[in-house]
């Protein structure tokens, strides 16, 4: 957990820039590749591909009645989660413009950007043509976020380390472990607001706005943001898609989660060598993807998106 959190928090500024690999089909300059060594900008899928690909790559989220073209795919959600890590509102807007330029999602509205200094900051983006509202939650981007990771997951991580030497997780009932994990001494002493509770409340507000405007609400996030998306999605009965989020099974008592709601609402993409999603136990739909790099590299959302 610490290795993945610190690796993400210490990314160099240039690694935070995500220029488009190719232009959208309606963007100016589509079909021209200025970099001879770059990826092809046009390609055609064969009728019988050698592999079907990851199931989550063929899944689309959005308003009922819309075609797949007017729904959001897993890469669209990954881009939104990535954009939430930019510091300033103008950077977020320019980044989204570059990412969605020339696609059916280019007419978006950036309607809310929370304070970049808070843990688990979020942005809210609407797509009027698609009737979709997305809350994207930042992952671990600085040391303050890394400390929040440890505050939430340190107790269960210690129990998992102990389980290497003695089967403590097997001997103790799950309900007992959940109660142990739910005791947050630091929050009680310093009267700090829990990042999960804050996002639950914000999601309830955004869900009401989405219903009022005839929109479908989606949540997405990376790392700690992905786990908190699972919490807020389960509590508010909306779809949540996380990337490399830690597990939530032992956090059930802390956030008053039921496994049924979590399994109905939450999808988590888990790279095979990423250590962060191995903290706690996963619930919901888990999409494993291959990663043969170091754990810190596997935890990066850019690497996950390329795979």
């Amino acid at each position: 957990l610490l290795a993945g959190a610190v690796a993400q928090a210490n990314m160099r500024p240039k690694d935070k820039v995500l220029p488009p690999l190719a232009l959208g089909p309606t963007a100016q300059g589509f079909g021209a590749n200025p970099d001879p060594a770059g990826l092809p900008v046009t390609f055609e899928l064969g009728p019988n591909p050698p592999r079907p690909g990851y199931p989550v790559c063929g899944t689309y989220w959005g308003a009922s009645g819309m075609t797949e073209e007017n729904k959001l795919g897993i890469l669209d959600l990954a881009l939104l989660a990535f954009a939430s890590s930019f510091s300033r509102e103008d950077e977020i807007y320019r980044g989204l413009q570059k990412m969605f330029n020339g696609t059916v999602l280019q007419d978006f509205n950036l309607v809310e950007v929370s304070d970049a200094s808070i843990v688990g900051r979020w942005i809210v983006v609407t797509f009027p043509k698609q009737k979709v509202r997305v809350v994207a939650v930042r992952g671990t981007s600085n040391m303050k976020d890394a400390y929040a990771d440890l505050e939430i997951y340190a107790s269960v991580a210690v129990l998992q380390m102990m389980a290497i030497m003695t089967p403590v997780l097997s001997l103790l009932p799950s309900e007992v472990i959940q109660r142990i994990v739910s005791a947050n001494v630091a929050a009680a002493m310093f009267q700090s607001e829990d990042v999960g509770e804050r996002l639950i409340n914000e999601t309830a507000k955004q869900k009401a706005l989405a219903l009022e405007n005839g929109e479908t609400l989606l949540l997405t996030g990376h790392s700690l943001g992905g786990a908190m998306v699972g919490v807020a999605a389960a509590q508010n009965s909306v779809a949540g898609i996380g990337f490399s989020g830690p597990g939530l099974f032992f956090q059930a008592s802390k956030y008053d989660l039921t496994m049924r709601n979590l399994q109905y609402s939450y999808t988590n993409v888990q790279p095979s060598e990423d250590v962060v999603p191995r903290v706690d136990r996963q619930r919901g739909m888990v999409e494993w993807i291959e990663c043969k790099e170091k754990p810190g590299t596997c935890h990066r959302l850019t690497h996950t998106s390329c795979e």
Side-chain angles (χ1 to χ4, degrees), residues 146-155 181 184 186-188 192-194 254:
Y147 289 139
D149 278 333
L150 296 175
E151 180 183 345
I152 296 170
Y153 283 100
S155 55
V181 171
N184 194 332
S192 59
E193 184 182 9
D194 186 272
K254 180 176 182 177

Side-chain angles (χ1 to χ4, degrees), residues 51-253:
R51 293 192 303 272
Y54 297 115
V56 76
C57 294
T59 305
Y60 296 89
W61 293 265
S64 60
M66 288 287 183
T67 62
E68 285 187 358
E69 184 183 40
N70 281 297
K71 292 185 177 182
L72 275 67
I74 194 67
L75 281 177
D76 301 321
L77 294 165
L79 292 174
L80 287 160
F82 188 87
S84 69
S85 66
F86 296 164
S87 298
R88 302 195 312 269
E89 183 172 347
D90 62 320
E91 292 177 338
I92 295 170
Y93 188 81
R94 287 200 305 270
L96 290 173
Q97 278 187 317
K98 290 181 179 180
M99 294 170 188
F100 293 129
N101 180 34
T103 74
V104 295
L105 301 178
Q106 66 181 0
D107 297 323
F108 65 89
N109 294 317
L110 181 61
V111 298
E112 184 176 333
V113 178
S114 66
D115 189 345
S117 66
I118 66 171
V119 175
R121 73 87 66 97
W122 61 81
I123 64 173
V124 181
V125 183
T126 61
F127 299 91
K129 290 183 179 180
Q130 288 72 32
K131 297 182 179 180
V132 170
R133 175 177 295 252
V134 181
V135 178
V137 186
R138 183 181 67 191
T140 307
S141 297
N142 53 52
M143 290 311 300
K144 188 176 179 181
D145 292 339
Y147 289 139
D149 278 333
L150 296 175
E151 180 183 345
I152 296 170
Y153 283 100
S155 55
V156 69
V158 169
L159 290 173
Q160 286 181 301
M161 289 293 293
M162 291 174 60
I164 297 174
M165 299 174 287
T166 180
V168 59
L169 294 179
S170 300
L171 294 175
L172 290 175
S174 297
E175 293 79 6
V176 172
I177 298 173
Q178 289 172 352
R179 284 199 297 272
I180 293 173
V181 171
S182 67
N184 194 332
V185 178
M189 288 178 60
F190 299 104
Q191 297 182 341
S192 59
E193 184 182 9
D194 186 272
V195 58
E197 293 297 334
R198 186 165 55 228
L199 185 60
I200 289 170
N201 296 332
E202 178 64 23
T203 301
K205 184 186 85 171
Q206 295 298 332
K207 182 178 180 180
L209 289 172
L211 290 172
E212 182 180 326
N213 296 324
E215 300 166 331
T216 295
L217 179 64
L218 302 175
L219 308 181
T220 188
H222 172 249
S223 191
L224 176 63
M228 294 303 100
V229 158
V231 170
Q235 282 282 21
N236 289 281
S237 299
V238 298
I241 302 90
F243 298 88
S244 295
L248 291 169
F249 177 74
F250 291 125
Q251 308 295 324
S253 178

